[in-house]
Amino acid sequence: KGWTGGPSLPEDLMLAGVKTCYDKGLQLLMHANGDAAVDFLLKAHVAAAGAEPSKDRRTVGIHSQFIRPDQLAKYKEYNIIPALFTLHTYFFYDVHAVQRGPEQAGFISPMRAAYDLGMRPTNHTDYAVTPIDQLFTIWSAVNRISRKGVPNGPDQRITPLEALKAITINAAWQYREEATKGSLEPGKLADLVILSGNPLTVNPMEIKDIKVVETIKEGRTIYPAQ
């Protein structure tokens, strides 16, 4: 009773590392999965940021899986990017609902809440924990249905367009690459895929079945091999 996970490194060492990154203008990406870990990320950020806690540093909270609404609001205040992981809603919700309860499990990777706060959340697969499949990632963010077919956190579903942005323009912005990547505009790299269906118009449950027909990198087809 009352047990929580602990840090993977001594706290003083991690605090010093965060301070070094901020002092040298280096981007910080911290893995923070449970809400206690998110609390530590916020604590470390405030300690290292000094008088400028809301400066645009593109600090990233990787996973932020069990983030609470009050913590998400702090992310917004401090310009911390939530890099979420909605495939958890498919692969692991059924277990989390038993271990953590359906209320907390239903708020895993709260993409809707992040967008509603005016944030730019991103989404990832954390391979090899889950497959590298971006259409499946989009599907999970749009539908939030578990392996057992249980809807979870339906209030946190997002639109297909928002889900696409989370893996394209938002991801480019997260890494300060928005001037060259993330959208199809003059002057940017011609990185794109041609799909077998339109994720914006197909039945949302069919998004995961869309296939990549062709991949173009900087204007050159790299898949299928030419």
Side-chain angles (χ1 to χ4, degrees):
K1 182 178 180 180
W3 182 87
T4 66
S8 56
L9 295 169
E11 285 195 15
D12 58 347
L13 184 61
M14 288 198 290
L15 286 168
V18 173
K19 185 70 163 57
T20 296
C21 287
Y22 281 14
D23 288 348
K24 294 182 178 296
L26 302 174
Q27 186 182 25
L28 175 73
L29 297 91
M30 183 181 287
H31 184 288
N33 208 24
D35 56 341
V38 174
D39 276 336
F40 178 81
L41 170 56
L42 291 169
K43 172 184 174 181
H45 170 81
V46 170
E52 298 180 295
S54 298
K55 180 180 177 180
D56 180 14
R57 297 178 174 87
R58 308 285 164 99
T59 296
V60 181
I62 299 293
H63 294 348
S64 301
Q65 181 185 348
F66 286 110
I67 193 169
R68 303 187 308 265
D70 62 297
Q71 293 172 323
L72 193 63
K74 285 295 184 182
Y75 272 28
K76 169 65 175 178
E77 179 183 348
Y78 296 149
N79 270 316
I80 298 174
I81 302 166
L84 304 176
F85 182 11
T86 60
L87 283 171
H88 260 274
T89 66
Y90 175 77
F91 285 103
F92 306 120
Y93 169 81
D94 300 310
V95 174
H96 289 322
V98 174
Q99 295 179 333
R100 307 292 293 252
E103 182 178 352
Q104 189 179 39
F107 201 66
I108 291 170
S109 294
M111 299 285 287
R112 176 77 276 143
Y115 270 119
D116 287 349
L117 283 171
M119 306 177 80
R120 303 182 193 185
T122 60
N123 204 356
H124 61 273
T125 67
D126 200 31
Y127 180 81
V129 175
T130 60
I132 298 177
D133 187 333
Q134 294 296 67
L135 275 304
F136 192 16
T137 299
I138 292 171
W139 176 90
S140 68
V142 171
N143 295 288
R144 294 184 68 101
I145 295 176
S146 76
R147 281 195 280 191
K148 291 184 178 179
V150 180
N152 54 91
D155 60 326
Q156 293 306 314
R157 291 171 177 159
I158 57 175
T159 69
L161 180 58
E162 289 170 327
L164 277 171
K165 287 182 176 180
I167 63 170
T168 54
I169 190 64
N170 292 3
W173 186 84
Q174 176 176 293
Y175 291 106
R176 297 188 185 276
E177 296 181 328
E178 67 272 20
T180 58
K181 299 178 181 179
S183 61
L184 300 179
E185 300 177 66
K188 291 190 175 184
L189 298 173
D191 296 348
L192 63 144
V193 292
I194 298 173
L195 303 175
S196 64
N198 185 346
L200 302 182
T201 59
V202 302
N203 183 314
M205 287 297 290
E206 297 176 358
I207 292 174
K208 63 180 175 55
D209 301 318
I210 295 174
K211 304 299 181 184
V212 175
V213 176
E214 184 175 354
T215 303
I216 299 170
K217 172 66 177 172
E218 298 181 17
R220 183 173 65 87
T221 295
I222 60 173
Y223 172 83
Q226 299 297 300

